[in-house]
């Protein structure tokens, strides 16, 4: 089951002063973490703006550069000049994306679909939003709810609708970004030739 969730990044450490590059081991993980603090990544200057965030979430997951603080370059001995370059090399069936909202909450406009292109295989992979987890409160505690797609079989056809699941109750509700959205889930839907 873990193969449904695991992704792999190829990572390098670059010194922005002397341009020395060091390869580090691949990063394997079950979730993608999106920092909402623009100091954590170069790309996020545009990510949190309402019109571009939907476009750039895909780019950020595919390739991103993160600052590395409190480290010194091994070649030029200059402190605080290192960045980690992460390039997505394997994408799973299910994408778990966590918005790092621990210090402050912001609305992040996540898209209904995400597309990734593989130029080597000449394929475009399409993922659809299937769920979001929300937490009201703060890091000391709060209440969790889930918004998710639910399928039912009626009159010889499958009907899929989004619902809000809140403890023992549920009701129809769109899966839209809110201040409390902190984890979203996408599922592989289809691939097309490019």
């Amino acid at each position: 089951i873990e193969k449904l969730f695991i992704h792999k990044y190829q990572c390098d450490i670059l010194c922005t002063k002397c341009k020395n590059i060091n390869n580090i081991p691949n990063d394997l993980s079950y979730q993608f973490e999106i920092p909402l603090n623009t100091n954590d990544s170069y790309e996020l200057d545009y990510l949190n703006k309402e019109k571009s965030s939907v476009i750039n979430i895909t780019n950020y997951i595919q390739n991103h550069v993160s600052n590395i603080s409190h480290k010194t370059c091994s070649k030029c001995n200059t402190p605080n000049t290192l960045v980690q370059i992460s390039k997505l090399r394997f994408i799973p069936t299910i994408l778990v994306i966590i918005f790092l909202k621990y210090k402050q909450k912001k609305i992040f406009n996540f898209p209904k679909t995400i597309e990734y292109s593989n130029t080597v295989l000449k394929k475009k992979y399409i993922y659809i939003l299937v769920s979001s987890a929300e937490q009201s409160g703060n890091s000391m505690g709060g209440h969790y709810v889930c918004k998710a797609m639910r399928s039912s079989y009626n009159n010889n056809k499958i009907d899929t609708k989004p619902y809000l699941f809140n403890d023992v109750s549920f009701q129809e509700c769109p899966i839209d970004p809110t201040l409390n959205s902190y984890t979203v889930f996408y599922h592989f839907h289809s691939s097309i030739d490019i």
Side-chain angles (χ1 to χ4, degrees):
I1 193 165
E2 77 178 42
K3 289 182 181 179
L4 293 173
F5 297 92
I6 200 161
H7 64 271
K8 177 171 73 172
Y9 277 111
Q10 174 189 333
C11 300
D12 297 310
I13 303 295
L14 167 72
C15 176
T16 57
K17 182 178 180 190
C18 72
K19 308 301 182 206
N20 183 48
I21 296 178
N22 288 314
N23 300 98
I24 60 174
N26 289 332
D27 180 22
L28 299 174
S29 185
Y30 298 100
Q31 76 271 346
F32 297 94
E33 295 180 349
I34 309 287
L36 297 185
N37 180 348
T38 56
N39 294 329
D40 294 337
S41 176
Y42 290 150
E43 288 82 4
L44 293 176
D45 288 336
Y46 300 104
L47 212 75
N48 289 318
K49 293 180 182 169
E50 185 174 340
K51 291 182 180 176
S52 63
S53 64
V54 171
I55 297 166
N56 286 315
I57 188 173
T58 303
N59 294 339
Y60 180 83
I61 288 173
Q62 199 157 2
N63 298 294
H64 60 274
V65 179
S66 302
N67 291 317
I68 300 174
S69 57
H70 312 297
K71 297 273 184 174
T72 301
C73 175
S74 60
K75 185 174 181 183
C76 70
N77 292 320
T78 306
N80 300 319
T81 59
L82 300 177
V83 294
Q84 178 174 316
I85 302 167
S86 301
K87 300 174 191 168
L88 189 64
R89 292 299 181 235
F90 178 78
I91 191 163
T93 303
I94 299 169
L95 308 180
V96 179
I97 301 172
I98 299 173
F99 303 115
L100 301 178
K101 296 183 171 187
Y102 304 118
K103 295 180 183 173
Q104 71 179 44
K105 290 189 175 188
K106 294 181 185 179
I107 292 180
F108 189 87
N109 295 312
F110 50 83
K112 299 288 184 188
T113 61
I114 293 179
E115 298 178 357
Y116 290 100
S117 296
N118 184 324
T119 54
V120 175
L121 298 176
K122 298 185 179 176
K123 293 274 188 189
K124 182 182 286 188
Y125 303 103
I126 301 165
Y127 290 79
I128 57 170
L129 177 67
V130 294
S131 183
S132 73
E134 300 199 359
Q135 190 256 359
S136 58
N138 56 38
S139 61
M140 301 301 289
H143 182 72
Y144 292 86
V145 298
C146 175
K147 294 178 181 176
M149 301 302 290
R150 178 81 182 198
S151 296
S152 60
Y153 187 72
N154 294 322
N155 299 325
N156 295 326
K157 69 176 190 171
I158 296 175
D159 188 25
T160 304
K161 296 179 184 175
Y163 286 90
L164 169 67
F165 298 93
N166 185 357
D167 293 334
V168 295
S169 67
F170 66 94
Q171 64 187 37
E172 277 190 52
C173 179
I175 305 174
D176 289 330
T178 71
L179 195 61
N180 296 323
S181 305
Y182 78 97
T183 304
V184 290
F185 301 84
Y186 291 84
H187 195 278
F188 174 75
H189 180 263
S190 59
S191 67
I192 57 174
D193 294 327
I194 54 173

